[in-house]
């Protein structure tokens, strides 16, 4: 794993946007894995600004998001469909055919998980997967204890994750209890991974990821065995890392 140290969130966002945009501009065909959460918002904003200045083409790009809540509509402001539309897609020349996000309203959720995997395979896998990390070390919604070879699956969200995400909802009771997420095996199949870590609340998870042996209680620690991972972290996240 390569560790890139950023002074602050703004620089982290710039480094991440430059990293992604270099692939977008160089590749003839690119399958991008995308993430939601607060961490990539600055990166997405800079990708939008690049488009506004440079008219970068996205016609060769396909995207797959990591996860989506079960049971909320794509038009619900708390859905990850809505987040991606507002924070990135509506500002780029990218069509709905190029975008993939798990359907948390599917009648047959198991079938939706299988279909999601087969769609990724049909695109010959993910070239670059963008990740955030939870304070408990989750990636996507792969909570502590998730098996390392898991594929896209339905998860019961932990209380810690629900409480952490409750800030976006009116009340904790409105936070969904389940989600669909790419599995750790799905994420590990990506050819390259870019993990963004920002803020003191992530510093313990980042320290454990860098300093400890891989352990299922810290799902992100599986990344240690991936051949091509770049971590961009800001100083707050790096507070325990020497
Ligand atoms: P955050 O979430 O970017 O909002 O901190 C990351 C995550 O929980 O995976």
């Amino acid at each position: 794993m390569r560790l890139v140290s950023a002074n602050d969130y703004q620089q982290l966002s710039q480094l991440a946007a430059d990293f992604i945009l270099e692939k977008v501009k160089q590749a003839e065909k690119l399958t991008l894995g995308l993430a939601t959460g607060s961490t990539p918002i600055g990166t997405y904003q800079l990708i939008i600004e690049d488009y506004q200045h440079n008219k970068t083409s996205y016609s060769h790009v396909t995207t797959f998001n990591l996860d989506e809540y079960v049971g909320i509509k794509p038009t619900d402001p708390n859905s990850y469909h809505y987040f991606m539309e507002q924070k990135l897609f509506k500002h780029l020349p990218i069509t709905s055919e190029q975008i993939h996000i798990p359907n948390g309203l599917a009648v047959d959720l198991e079938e939706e998980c299988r279909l999601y995997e087969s769609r990724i395979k049909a695109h010959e896998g993910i070239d670059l997967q963008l990740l955030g990390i939870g304070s408990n070390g989750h990636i996507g919604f792969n909570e502590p204890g998730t098996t390392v070879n898991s594929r896209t699956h339905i998860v019961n969200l932990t209380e810690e994750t629900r409480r952490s995400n409750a800030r976006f909802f009116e009340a904790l009771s409105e936070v969904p209890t389940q989600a669909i997420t790419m599995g750790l095996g799905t994420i590990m199949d990506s050819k390259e991974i870019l993990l963004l870590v920002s803020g003191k609340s992530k510093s313990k998870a980042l320290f454990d990821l860098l300093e400890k042996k891989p352990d299922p209680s810290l799902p992100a620690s599986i990344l240690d065995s991936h051949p091509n991972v770049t971590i961009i972290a800001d100083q707050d996240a790096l507070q325990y890392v020497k």
Side-chain angles (χ1 to χ4, degrees):
M1 295 190 292
R2 279 177 302 277
L3 177 63
V4 178
S5 161
N7 294 331
D8 52 22
Y9 179 72
Q10 185 56 32
Q11 193 187 23
L12 172 149
S13 302
Q14 189 66 61
L15 290 167
D18 290 348
F19 192 104
I20 295 166
L21 286 167
E22 192 188 327
K23 313 272 176 202
V24 170
K25 290 177 191 199
Q26 283 180 358
E28 284 177 15
K29 174 181 165 298
L30 186 70
T31 303
L32 266 183
L34 296 175
T36 52
S38 337
T39 312
I41 290 177
T43 304
Y44 292 156
Q45 185 54 41
L46 290 165
I47 288 174
I48 293 164
E49 286 172 22
D50 164 80
Y51 173 68
Q52 289 165 349
H53 291 120
N54 303 316
K55 294 288 170 268
T56 301
S57 171
Y58 285 83
S59 59
H60 60 306
V61 176
T62 302
T63 69
F64 282 90
N65 264 77
L66 281 170
D67 46 17
E68 176 59 288
Y69 288 119
V70 165
I72 53 180
K73 293 196 187 102
T75 50
D76 185 316
N78 282 311
S79 75
Y80 289 171
H81 278 79
Y82 188 87
F83 176 100
M84 289 306 300
E85 188 61 23
Q86 299 302 314
K87 303 289 185 211
L88 186 66
F89 295 142
K90 78 172 188 183
H91 308 281
L92 295 181
I94 193 160
T95 64
S96 56
E97 287 75 33
Q98 291 167 267
I99 296 167
H100 302 84
I101 305 177
N103 176 10
L105 290 178
V107 178
D108 185 340
L109 292 169
E110 297 284 355
E111 178 62 9
E112 173 62 15
C113 294
R114 280 190 291 275
L115 277 173
Y116 206 65
E117 286 284 325
S118 63
R119 287 184 194 120
I120 294 172
K121 279 208 182 71
H123 284 85
E124 293 161 15
I126 291 166
D127 295 308
L128 174 65
Q129 176 66 55
L130 178 64
L131 295 178
I133 185 172
S135 49
N136 66 357
H138 74 205
I139 48 177
F141 271 126
N142 293 286
E143 302 287 7
T146 306
T147 51
V148 295
N149 55 2
S150 52
R151 312 305 306 185
T152 300
H153 62 289
I154 302 154
V155 284
N156 295 322
L157 302 180
T158 63
E159 276 313 295
E160 184 174 0
T161 294
R162 290 186 67 240
R163 270 200 303 275
S164 162
N165 291 1
R167 63 190 191 275
F168 303 113
F169 292 80
E170 300 260 306
L172 179 61
S173 58
E174 289 187 19
V175 183
T177 55
Q178 289 188 312
I180 295 180
T181 184
M182 282 187 202
L184 292 177
T186 322
I187 293 169
M188 287 295 282
D189 281 350
S190 308
K191 293 170 194 110
E192 185 166 11
I193 291 173
L194 177 61
L195 171 65
L196 307 183
V197 194
S198 172
K200 288 197 163 68
S201 66
K202 309 294 175 63
S203 55
K204 174 78 171 56
L206 180 61
F207 175 81
D208 289 350
L209 170 61
L210 294 172
E211 308 287 334
K212 292 194 177 167
K213 291 202 170 65
D215 180 339
S217 69
L218 188 82
S221 65
I222 195 177
L223 300 176
D224 196 38
S225 51
H226 190 285
N228 198 359
V229 176
T230 302
I231 302 172
I232 306 178
D234 64 16
Q235 293 308 305
D236 283 346
L238 286 163
Q239 64 173 336
Y240 300 127
V241 178
K242 295 278 174 278

